[in-house]
């Protein structure tokens, strides 16, 4: 009887310990999510125009990579949308409508599970930001 109780207790303890550790994939996904949400402007902190543009380009690159799962993609897109909307004046006026249009397009593609469409919208975001960086008159 004592042996059965000890075995059951040990099994329960091991199960709880394993559950508390989490899976390596879940931990990696959490790290990726934290890395995206901790960027300048995404986490609610003030940003300079250069930081906002850099962070938006970085998030768009994550979206175009195709290496994220659907959950990570949704987080990156939400972060990009929040970054642009919360810091809209940090983006050159000439590109604001295009950024907003592309983010809306990306959201629609994600909702429709059209990952190619989402990547195309993200590529457009990257190009728009890159063009603004090479053409200072867009400020």
């Amino acid at each position: 009887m004592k042996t059965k109780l000890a075995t059951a207790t040990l099994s329960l303890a091991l199960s709880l310990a394993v559950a508390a550790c989490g899976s390596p994939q879940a931990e990696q996904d959490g790290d990726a999510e934290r890395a995206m949400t901790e960027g300048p402007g995404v986490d609610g902190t003030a940003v300079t125009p250069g930081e906002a543009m850099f962070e938006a380009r970085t998030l768009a690159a994550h979206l175009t990579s195709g290496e994220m799962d659907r959950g990570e993609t949704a987080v990156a897109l939400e972060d990009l949308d929040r970054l642009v909307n919360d810091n809209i004046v940090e983006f050159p006026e000439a590109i604001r409508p295009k950024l907003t249009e592309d983010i809306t397009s990306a959201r629609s593609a994600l909702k429709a599970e059209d990952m190619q469409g989402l990547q195309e919208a993200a590529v457009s975001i990257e190009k728009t930001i890159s063009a603004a960086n090479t053409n200072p008159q867009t400020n």
Side-chain angles (χ1 to χ4, degrees), residues 38-114:
E38 291 175 355
V42 174
D43 58 3
T45 58
V47 294
T48 65
E51 288 172 331
M53 297 281 278
F54 177 80
E55 190 64 24
R57 191 173 42 251
T58 300
L59 288 166
H62 285 303
L63 293 169
T64 60
S65 73
E67 295 175 2
M68 296 185 297
D69 65 27
R70 185 167 164 60
E72 292 171 320
T73 300
V75 169
L77 184 55
E78 182 64 32
D79 288 348
L80 179 60
D81 188 31
R82 187 178 319 114
L83 174 71
V84 172
N85 286 322
D86 290 353
N87 302 286
I88 196 71
V89 297
E90 305 306 335
F91 292 90
E93 188 175 350
I95 69 168
R96 292 177 197 163
K98 181 69 173 144
L99 284 176
T100 301
E101 176 185 318
D102 287 339
I103 289 170
T104 301
S105 215
R107 279 185 173 280
S108 296
L110 180 64
K111 187 175 181 178
E113 296 185 19
D114 175 9

